[in-house]
Amino acid sequence: MDSIIDHTKLIDSRNEDLYEKVLSKFELNFEPSYNGEHSVYSIGNSITFYIPIGVYSADSFTHELLHAYIDYHEAYIGGNFKNTMWQSNILKQIFDLHLAEHITNSIAHTLMLPIYLERGFERSMFLLDYDEFKTEPGFIGQIARYYKRGALYNLSAIRNFIGKFFAFKCDPNPTFNYDTELQQLKKIDPQLYQILQNYFLRWTNYDFTADPLSEYREINSDFYVALKPWMSGKRFG
């Protein structure tokens, strides 16, 4: 563990058991973050937490610790999502690395938030951009404008469609109302919207702490199967 970061200042009675569980399975490292943000990176049996120097926030650390807690339960949602979607050349173009990570990170946040709140942490501390509305005026209109030209579907517009859907659905700030924006997305492509909606609802009923059969793989597989008829007969570019 890096001596610059005193990790003991990140642990309190609310997160200590989570920390001990993660520590029991992984080698934990703490390194300085120079962008002012907390983050976590895992590979194999090693997990590294990046902590801004001099910023000892149990709230922010617990967010990253909960990402590690999902790994502790061996729910490898991100890796499985990419492996599943990238079986198709078309879906590999749509769900590029940036979008795949955005979706699975958003899903992870949805799974983590109840645990975070149950332990007494403030909702407003869950995300750095908690107070930011997750789109700009007119942006959904731009998606609609470029989504389809003749028989050609615009890959960039589709990525933005999907990305915004998950940004809206997984926003932990209950003061924001995205009903108008979601209805606009639904009007652009009702079939894709319903596929995303069904997929999202599966995650809201998923418990990663009690998944001995790796249900997350089935959820991603069913999503892949649902997307196949939506892709049928379309040209993407």
Side-chain angles (χ1 to χ4, degrees):
M1 296 184 182
D2 196 300
S3 60
I4 296 176
I5 305 298
D6 182 359
H7 73 281
T8 62
K9 293 181 179 180
L10 300 166
I11 301 166
D12 62 20
S13 59
R14 298 170 295 174
N15 64 15
E16 185 175 13
D17 64 318
L18 292 175
Y19 174 78
E20 292 298 332
K21 285 180 180 179
V22 172
L23 180 62
S24 72
K25 184 173 281 190
F26 299 99
E27 175 190 336
L28 303 186
N29 303 286
F30 291 82
E31 295 187 8
S33 166
Y34 296 103
N35 65 359
E37 298 181 10
H38 295 72
S39 60
V40 62
Y41 176 75
S42 63
I43 182 168
N45 69 340
S46 176
I47 293 179
T48 301
F49 296 98
Y50 294 91
I51 310 296
I53 296 175
V55 179
Y56 292 105
S57 167
D59 307 78
S60 297
F61 172 64
T62 300
H63 176 109
E64 307 307 331
L65 184 60
L66 284 167
H67 277 291
Y69 187 53
I70 293 176
D71 286 349
Y72 169 83
H73 285 282
E74 300 181 8
Y76 302 118
I77 297 167
N80 179 255
F81 180 92
K82 285 177 273 194
N83 289 339
T84 303
M85 294 305 114
W86 292 356
Q87 296 177 59
S88 160
N89 288 332
I90 293 174
L91 293 183
K92 188 172 184 178
Q93 293 180 70
I94 294 173
F95 296 100
D96 59 11
L97 182 60
H98 178 76
L99 181 57
E101 291 183 345
H102 166 67
I103 291 170
T104 54
N105 200 42
S106 298
I107 289 168
H109 290 169
T110 296
L111 301 177
M112 291 157 46
L113 182 61
I115 301 172
Y116 187 86
L117 297 177
E118 285 167 5
R119 289 170 174 270
F121 291 98
E122 291 294 327
R123 180 183 286 268
S124 61
M125 295 293 291
F126 186 67
L127 287 181
L128 193 62
D129 62 352
Y130 180 83
D131 292 317
E132 296 179 15
F133 195 74
K134 302 305 183 290
T135 194
E136 307 78 36
F139 190 76
I140 307 303
Q142 292 183 41
I143 294 175
R145 190 175 304 116
Y146 295 104
Y147 196 79
K148 182 184 177 184
R149 294 288 180 89
L152 185 66
Y153 286 76
N154 185 289
L155 284 170
S156 178
I158 293 171
R159 290 189 202 106
N160 279 299
F161 180 108
I162 297 170
K164 288 301 182 184
F165 176 92
F166 285 97
F168 300 156
K169 286 288 188 175
C170 300
D171 191 337
N173 190 333
T175 67
F176 293 144
N177 186 326
Y178 295 103
D179 288 349
T180 298
E181 287 77 12
L182 287 167
Q183 285 301 314
Q184 288 177 313
L185 289 178
K186 188 174 183 179
K187 186 176 180 180
I188 295 169
D189 192 330
Q191 185 183 8
L192 178 58
Y193 183 94
Q194 192 59 53
I195 292 169
L196 298 178
Q197 175 75 348
N198 293 343
Y199 180 61
F200 172 74
L201 290 175
R202 290 282 297 276
W203 288 115
T204 63
N205 294 311
Y206 173 71
D207 181 0
F208 71 86
T209 68
D211 183 15
L213 300 178
S214 299
E215 182 188 350
Y216 68 92
R217 297 177 186 272
E218 180 183 333
I219 295 173
N220 283 332
S221 177
D222 288 349
F223 182 46
Y224 176 86
V225 170
L227 285 166
K228 290 177 73 174
W230 171 80
M231 291 187 296
S232 180
K234 290 183 173 68
R235 291 195 301 114
F236 300 90

